[in-house]
Each structure stands twice: as C-alpha cells, then as structure tokens.
Amino acid sequence: MTAAATRTEHDLLGDRDVPADAYWGVHTLRATENFPITGTPISAYPHLVDALAAVKEAAALANEELGLLAPRRPPRSSPPAARYAPASCTTSSSSTSSRAAPAPPPT
C-alpha cells in the first residue's frame, strides 16, 4: 500500500502532514479540524473566492504604491490575479478557509 504524497509543515504547535498538492497549509488544516462550523467548502462559492483574491490584490497594489511593498518585477500590466488562479484553488480541498494559492506570474 502506498501512502498519499504529503508535505510537512510547521507551526507553533508542531509539525503536521498536509497533502502535497493542497493550496492550503497547516493553519487551515488545524482550523478545519478545530472549527467545523458549516461543513460547506469555500469552493461552493467561486465568486466569493474571486472577490477575496481581488481584495487581496487591491491591498497589495495600495501597499506597493505607498512604498510598503517592493515593486513587482516586471511591473503589473495584466488583468487581476484572480483570473490567473488555477481552478483547482477552489476545488482542491474540503477546507472552509479562504486561503488561496498565489497566482502565477503574468506572461
């Protein structure tokens, strides 16, 4: 029998194995184990995932303009990052967390 591919992540409570292909980490794993509030994965609301990505991108751009983040290289000239996020970001886990993977760099 072969074991599922995992990666080990560490937080203040210790090490935990997380599925290797998951876009979430040890914090989300612990949250879903300790707080199973709705049982509904966030992937059931793809528009919410897009909105969260847009808010995060807007915050990053504002912080970049304020000089609080290093400028991106190359400079941004592409559509919002949410459009680049792989579809599996919203379907790869049973998590109810909003943690998403970083979008790949624009081409």
Side-chain angles (χ1 to χ4, degrees), residues 7 18-19 21-25 28-29 32 39-45 49 86-101:
R7 66 180 187 268
V18 175
D21 61 346
Y23 283 101
W24 40 270
T28 299
L29 176 66
T32 58
T40 304
I42 198 168
S43 61
Y45 306 99
V49 174
S88 60
C89 285
T90 58
T91 60
S92 71
S93 83
S94 60
S95 167
T96 56
S97 169
S98 63
R99 183 171 180 192

mmCIF file of all heavy atoms in Angstrom, residues 7 18-19 21-25 28-29 32 39-45 49 86-101:
data_model
loop_
_atom_site.group_PDB
_atom_site.id
_atom_site.type_symbol
_atom_site.label_atom_id
_atom_site.label_comp_id
_atom_site.label_asym_id
_atom_site.label_seq_id
_atom_site.Cartn_x
_atom_site.Cartn_y
_atom_site.Cartn_z
ATOM 1 N N ARG A 7 3.365 16.856 2.440
ATOM 2 C CA ARG A 7 4.495 17.699 2.808
ATOM 3 C C ARG A 7 4.329 18.019 4.297
ATOM 4 O O ARG A 7 3.208 18.070 4.805
ATOM 5 C CB ARG A 7 4.532 18.977 1.969
ATOM 6 C CG ARG A 7 3.376 19.923 2.217
ATOM 7 C CD ARG A 7 3.473 21.182 1.347
ATOM 8 N NE ARG A 7 2.472 22.150 1.698
ATOM 9 C CZ ARG A 7 1.273 22.246 1.141
ATOM 10 N NH1 ARG A 7 0.939 21.422 0.169
ATOM 11 N NH2 ARG A 7 0.424 23.175 1.535
ATOM 12 N N VAL A 18 0.499 17.697 5.493
ATOM 13 C CA VAL A 18 -0.539 18.317 4.676
ATOM 14 C C VAL A 18 -0.430 17.688 3.294
ATOM 15 O O VAL A 18 0.678 17.421 2.829
ATOM 16 C CB VAL A 18 -0.299 19.850 4.585
ATOM 17 C CG1 VAL A 18 -1.283 20.510 3.658
ATOM 18 C CG2 VAL A 18 -0.357 20.468 5.969
ATOM 19 N N PRO A 19 -1.547 17.409 2.614
ATOM 20 C CA PRO A 19 -1.446 16.857 1.260
ATOM 21 C C PRO A 19 -0.536 17.719 0.387
ATOM 22 O O PRO A 19 -0.626 18.946 0.395
ATOM 23 C CB PRO A 19 -2.891 16.885 0.753
ATOM 24 C CG PRO A 19 -3.722 16.824 2.000
ATOM 25 C CD PRO A 19 -2.934 17.586 3.037
ATOM 26 N N ASP A 21 -0.398 18.371 -2.711
ATOM 27 C CA ASP A 21 -0.985 19.191 -3.772
ATOM 28 C C ASP A 21 -1.988 20.215 -3.243
ATOM 29 O O ASP A 21 -2.611 20.934 -4.019
ATOM 30 C CB ASP A 21 -1.648 18.304 -4.819
ATOM 31 C CG ASP A 21 -2.778 17.454 -4.249
ATOM 32 O OD1 ASP A 21 -2.878 17.338 -3.005
ATOM 33 O OD2 ASP A 21 -3.548 16.890 -5.038
ATOM 34 N N ALA A 22 -2.128 20.334 -1.929
ATOM 35 C CA ALA A 22 -3.087 21.277 -1.347
ATOM 36 C C ALA A 22 -2.566 22.701 -1.452
ATOM 37 O O ALA A 22 -1.380 22.959 -1.290
ATOM 38 C CB ALA A 22 -3.336 20.930 0.119
ATOM 39 N N TYR A 23 -3.474 23.629 -1.730
ATOM 40 C CA TYR A 23 -3.124 25.047 -1.791
ATOM 41 C C TYR A 23 -3.204 25.702 -0.423
ATOM 42 O O TYR A 23 -3.034 26.894 -0.290
ATOM 43 C CB TYR A 23 -4.063 25.785 -2.754
ATOM 44 C CG TYR A 23 -3.721 25.532 -4.194
ATOM 45 C CD1 TYR A 23 -4.462 24.622 -4.935
ATOM 46 C CD2 TYR A 23 -2.666 26.179 -4.803
ATOM 47 C CE1 TYR A 23 -4.148 24.368 -6.252
ATOM 48 C CE2 TYR A 23 -2.348 25.937 -6.120
ATOM 49 C CZ TYR A 23 -3.103 25.032 -6.839
ATOM 50 O OH TYR A 23 -2.781 24.790 -8.137
ATOM 51 N N TRP A 24 -3.501 24.937 0.592
ATOM 52 C CA TRP A 24 -3.598 25.444 1.947
ATOM 53 C C TRP A 24 -2.532 24.779 2.793
ATOM 54 O O TRP A 24 -1.867 23.844 2.355
ATOM 55 C CB TRP A 24 -4.999 25.199 2.512
ATOM 56 C CG TRP A 24 -5.575 23.859 2.148
ATOM 57 C CD1 TRP A 24 -6.322 23.571 1.040
ATOM 58 C CD2 TRP A 24 -5.434 22.632 2.860
ATOM 59 N NE1 TRP A 24 -6.654 22.237 1.022
ATOM 60 C CE2 TRP A 24 -6.122 21.637 2.140
ATOM 61 C CE3 TRP A 24 -4.800 22.282 4.035
ATOM 62 C CZ2 TRP A 24 -6.195 20.318 2.562
ATOM 63 C CZ3 TRP A 24 -4.876 20.968 4.455
ATOM 64 C CH2 TRP A 24 -5.565 20.001 3.718
ATOM 65 N N GLY A 25 -2.345 25.280 4.009
ATOM 66 C CA GLY A 25 -1.266 24.785 4.845
ATOM 67 C C GLY A 25 -1.729 24.346 6.219
ATOM 68 O O GLY A 25 -2.912 24.096 6.462
ATOM 69 N N THR A 28 -4.682 26.185 8.055
ATOM 70 C CA THR A 28 -6.013 25.825 7.563
ATOM 71 C C THR A 28 -6.382 24.423 8.015
ATOM 72 O O THR A 28 -7.530 24.173 8.393
ATOM 73 C CB THR A 28 -6.051 25.931 6.029
ATOM 74 O OG1 THR A 28 -5.783 27.276 5.671
ATOM 75 C CG2 THR A 28 -7.399 25.516 5.480
ATOM 76 N N LEU A 29 -5.421 23.504 7.997
ATOM 77 C CA LEU A 29 -5.679 22.138 8.461
ATOM 78 C C LEU A 29 -6.163 22.151 9.903
ATOM 79 O O LEU A 29 -7.187 21.541 10.231
ATOM 80 C CB LEU A 29 -4.404 21.299 8.340
ATOM 81 C CG LEU A 29 -4.485 19.875 8.887
ATOM 82 C CD1 LEU A 29 -5.466 19.054 8.060
ATOM 83 C CD2 LEU A 29 -3.108 19.240 8.893
ATOM 84 N N THR A 32 -9.765 23.738 10.224
ATOM 85 C CA THR A 32 -10.876 22.875 9.810
ATOM 86 C C THR A 32 -11.094 21.734 10.793
ATOM 87 O O THR A 32 -12.219 21.275 10.975
ATOM 88 C CB THR A 32 -10.661 22.317 8.392
ATOM 89 O OG1 THR A 32 -9.440 21.588 8.351
ATOM 90 C CG2 THR A 32 -10.661 23.412 7.363
ATOM 91 N N GLY A 39 -19.417 23.141 7.446
ATOM 92 C CA GLY A 39 -19.276 21.929 6.649
ATOM 93 C C GLY A 39 -19.341 22.208 5.162
ATOM 94 O O GLY A 39 -19.219 21.316 4.344
ATOM 95 N N THR A 40 -19.525 23.463 4.790
ATOM 96 C CA THR A 40 -19.592 23.855 3.384
ATOM 97 C C THR A 40 -18.238 24.398 2.952
ATOM 98 O O THR A 40 -17.750 25.358 3.537
ATOM 99 C CB THR A 40 -20.655 24.954 3.163
ATOM 100 O OG1 THR A 40 -21.910 24.478 3.642
ATOM 101 C CG2 THR A 40 -20.769 25.317 1.690
ATOM 102 N N PRO A 41 -17.622 23.781 1.943
ATOM 103 C CA PRO A 41 -16.320 24.301 1.496
ATOM 104 C C PRO A 41 -16.477 25.633 0.784
ATOM 105 O O PRO A 41 -17.512 25.915 0.165
ATOM 106 C CB PRO A 41 -15.807 23.220 0.548
ATOM 107 C CG PRO A 41 -17.037 22.534 0.061
ATOM 108 C CD PRO A 41 -18.045 22.621 1.189
ATOM 109 N N ILE A 42 -15.456 26.445 0.869
ATOM 110 C CA ILE A 42 -15.490 27.750 0.207
ATOM 111 C C ILE A 42 -15.583 27.588 -1.313
ATOM 112 O O ILE A 42 -16.043 28.482 -2.006
ATOM 113 C CB ILE A 42 -14.283 28.611 0.617
ATOM 114 C CG1 ILE A 42 -14.550 30.077 0.283
ATOM 115 C CG2 ILE A 42 -13.011 28.095 -0.012
ATOM 116 C CD1 ILE A 42 -13.571 31.032 0.900
ATOM 117 N N SER A 43 -15.189 26.424 -1.809
ATOM 118 C CA SER A 43 -15.271 26.184 -3.251
ATOM 119 C C SER A 43 -16.718 26.203 -3.748
ATOM 120 O O SER A 43 -16.950 26.326 -4.948
ATOM 121 C CB SER A 43 -14.622 24.847 -3.605
ATOM 122 O OG SER A 43 -15.284 23.780 -2.946
ATOM 123 N N ALA A 44 -17.669 26.125 -2.847
ATOM 124 C CA ALA A 44 -19.076 26.223 -3.235
ATOM 125 C C ALA A 44 -19.446 27.644 -3.642
ATOM 126 O O ALA A 44 -20.512 27.877 -4.199
ATOM 127 C CB ALA A 44 -19.971 25.765 -2.082
ATOM 128 N N TYR A 45 -18.552 28.596 -3.371
ATOM 129 C CA TYR A 45 -18.804 29.997 -3.664
ATOM 130 C C TYR A 45 -17.654 30.584 -4.488
ATOM 131 O O TYR A 45 -16.884 31.398 -3.986
ATOM 132 C CB TYR A 45 -18.985 30.785 -2.369
ATOM 133 C CG TYR A 45 -20.054 30.197 -1.480
ATOM 134 C CD1 TYR A 45 -19.715 29.382 -0.411
ATOM 135 C CD2 TYR A 45 -21.406 30.420 -1.748
ATOM 136 C CE1 TYR A 45 -20.688 28.815 0.393
ATOM 137 C CE2 TYR A 45 -22.382 29.862 -0.947
ATOM 138 C CZ TYR A 45 -22.022 29.055 0.122
ATOM 139 O OH TYR A 45 -22.989 28.502 0.902
ATOM 140 N N VAL A 49 -14.516 33.523 -3.746
ATOM 141 C CA VAL A 49 -13.073 33.316 -3.879
ATOM 142 C C VAL A 49 -12.474 34.382 -4.792
ATOM 143 O O VAL A 49 -11.434 34.970 -4.489
ATOM 144 C CB VAL A 49 -12.766 31.898 -4.405
ATOM 145 C CG1 VAL A 49 -11.280 31.724 -4.693
ATOM 146 C CG2 VAL A 49 -13.244 30.851 -3.407
ATOM 147 N N PRO A 86 -5.415 29.080 -10.637
ATOM 148 C CA PRO A 86 -5.891 27.819 -11.185
ATOM 149 C C PRO A 86 -7.264 27.470 -10.629
ATOM 150 O O PRO A 86 -7.562 27.768 -9.473
ATOM 151 C CB PRO A 86 -4.849 26.805 -10.709
ATOM 152 C CG PRO A 86 -3.708 27.581 -10.182
ATOM 153 C CD PRO A 86 -4.196 28.956 -9.880
ATOM 154 N N ALA A 87 -8.094 26.846 -11.446
ATOM 155 C CA ALA A 87 -9.426 26.461 -10.997
ATOM 156 C C ALA A 87 -9.347 25.548 -9.790
ATOM 157 O O ALA A 87 -10.231 25.549 -8.945
ATOM 158 C CB ALA A 87 -10.180 25.776 -12.129
ATOM 159 N N SER A 88 -8.274 24.784 -9.668
ATOM 160 C CA SER A 88 -8.151 23.866 -8.545
ATOM 161 C C SER A 88 -7.991 24.593 -7.221
ATOM 162 O O SER A 88 -8.114 23.988 -6.166
ATOM 163 C CB SER A 88 -6.984 22.912 -8.767
ATOM 164 O OG SER A 88 -5.786 23.636 -8.884
ATOM 165 N N CYS A 89 -7.727 25.899 -7.240
ATOM 166 C CA CYS A 89 -7.630 26.647 -5.982
ATOM 167 C C CYS A 89 -8.956 26.610 -5.245
ATOM 168 O O CYS A 89 -8.986 26.702 -4.034
ATOM 169 C CB CYS A 89 -7.267 28.112 -6.232
ATOM 170 S SG CYS A 89 -5.564 28.367 -6.660
ATOM 171 N N THR A 90 -10.038 26.489 -5.969
ATOM 172 C CA THR A 90 -11.341 26.500 -5.324
ATOM 173 C C THR A 90 -11.911 25.107 -5.165
ATOM 174 O O THR A 90 -12.952 24.942 -4.574
ATOM 175 C CB THR A 90 -12.337 27.355 -6.124
ATOM 176 O OG1 THR A 90 -12.436 26.827 -7.439
ATOM 177 C CG2 THR A 90 -11.916 28.801 -6.161
ATOM 178 N N THR A 91 -11.225 24.097 -5.671
ATOM 179 C CA THR A 91 -11.779 22.751 -5.599
ATOM 180 C C THR A 91 -10.835 21.735 -4.994
ATOM 181 O O THR A 91 -11.186 20.590 -4.859
ATOM 182 C CB THR A 91 -12.160 22.258 -7.008
ATOM 183 O OG1 THR A 91 -10.986 22.256 -7.817
ATOM 184 C CG2 THR A 91 -13.217 23.123 -7.631
ATOM 185 N N SER A 92 -9.625 22.129 -4.591
ATOM 186 C CA SER A 92 -8.643 21.149 -4.170
ATOM 187 C C SER A 92 -8.784 20.696 -2.725
ATOM 188 O O SER A 92 -8.094 19.802 -2.308
ATOM 189 C CB SER A 92 -7.228 21.692 -4.380
ATOM 190 O OG SER A 92 -6.970 22.719 -3.451
ATOM 191 N N SER A 93 -9.661 21.313 -1.950
ATOM 192 C CA SER A 93 -9.747 20.895 -0.560
ATOM 193 C C SER A 93 -11.174 20.970 -0.067
ATOM 194 O O SER A 93 -12.039 21.569 -0.669
ATOM 195 C CB SER A 93 -8.872 21.790 0.311
ATOM 196 O OG SER A 93 -9.541 22.975 0.637
ATOM 197 N N SER A 94 -11.381 20.354 1.051
ATOM 198 C CA SER A 94 -12.684 20.449 1.702
ATOM 199 C C SER A 94 -12.662 21.561 2.731
ATOM 200 O O SER A 94 -13.522 21.653 3.582
ATOM 201 C CB SER A 94 -13.018 19.125 2.375
ATOM 202 O OG SER A 94 -12.023 18.832 3.337
ATOM 203 N N SER A 95 -11.663 22.398 2.646
ATOM 204 C CA SER A 95 -11.467 23.467 3.608
ATOM 205 C C SER A 95 -12.544 24.530 3.500
ATOM 206 O O SER A 95 -13.050 24.815 2.436
ATOM 207 C CB SER A 95 -10.099 24.108 3.358
ATOM 208 O OG SER A 95 -9.986 25.304 4.054
ATOM 209 N N THR A 96 -12.856 25.126 4.629
ATOM 210 C CA THR A 96 -13.755 26.276 4.630
ATOM 211 C C THR A 96 -12.950 27.548 4.777
ATOM 212 O O THR A 96 -13.485 28.603 5.010
ATOM 213 C CB THR A 96 -14.784 26.184 5.766
ATOM 214 O OG1 THR A 96 -14.080 26.039 6.995
ATOM 215 C CG2 THR A 96 -15.736 25.032 5.543
ATOM 216 N N SER A 97 -11.656 27.453 4.622
ATOM 217 C CA SER A 97 -10.782 28.611 4.758
ATOM 218 C C SER A 97 -10.728 29.385 3.452
ATOM 219 O O SER A 97 -11.003 28.865 2.390
ATOM 220 C CB SER A 97 -9.369 28.153 5.120
ATOM 221 O OG SER A 97 -8.475 29.216 5.019
ATOM 222 N N SER A 98 -10.307 30.645 3.537
ATOM 223 C CA SER A 98 -10.205 31.466 2.351
ATOM 224 C C SER A 98 -8.776 31.531 1.830
ATOM 225 O O SER A 98 -8.488 32.292 0.937
ATOM 226 C CB SER A 98 -10.697 32.886 2.646
ATOM 227 O OG SER A 98 -9.879 33.472 3.616
ATOM 228 N N ARG A 99 -7.889 30.736 2.353
ATOM 229 C CA ARG A 99 -6.502 30.790 1.918
ATOM 230 C C ARG A 99 -6.396 30.260 0.507
ATOM 231 O O ARG A 99 -6.849 29.174 0.199
ATOM 232 C CB ARG A 99 -5.638 29.965 2.856
ATOM 233 C CG ARG A 99 -4.192 30.058 2.491
ATOM 234 C CD ARG A 99 -3.347 29.423 3.549
ATOM 235 N NE ARG A 99 -1.952 29.552 3.145
ATOM 236 C CZ ARG A 99 -0.992 28.911 3.728
ATOM 237 N NH1 ARG A 99 -1.232 28.134 4.736
ATOM 238 N NH2 ARG A 99 0.233 29.059 3.315
ATOM 239 N N ALA A 100 -5.827 31.047 -0.374
ATOM 240 C CA ALA A 100 -5.683 30.671 -1.772
ATOM 241 C C ALA A 100 -4.217 30.679 -2.150
ATOM 242 O O ALA A 100 -3.398 31.315 -1.507
ATOM 243 C CB ALA A 100 -6.452 31.635 -2.673
ATOM 244 N N ALA A 101 -3.920 29.981 -3.228
ATOM 245 C CA ALA A 101 -2.548 29.935 -3.711
ATOM 246 C C ALA A 101 -2.198 31.236 -4.421
ATOM 247 O O ALA A 101 -3.067 31.895 -4.966
ATOM 248 C CB ALA A 101 -2.385 28.782 -4.689
#
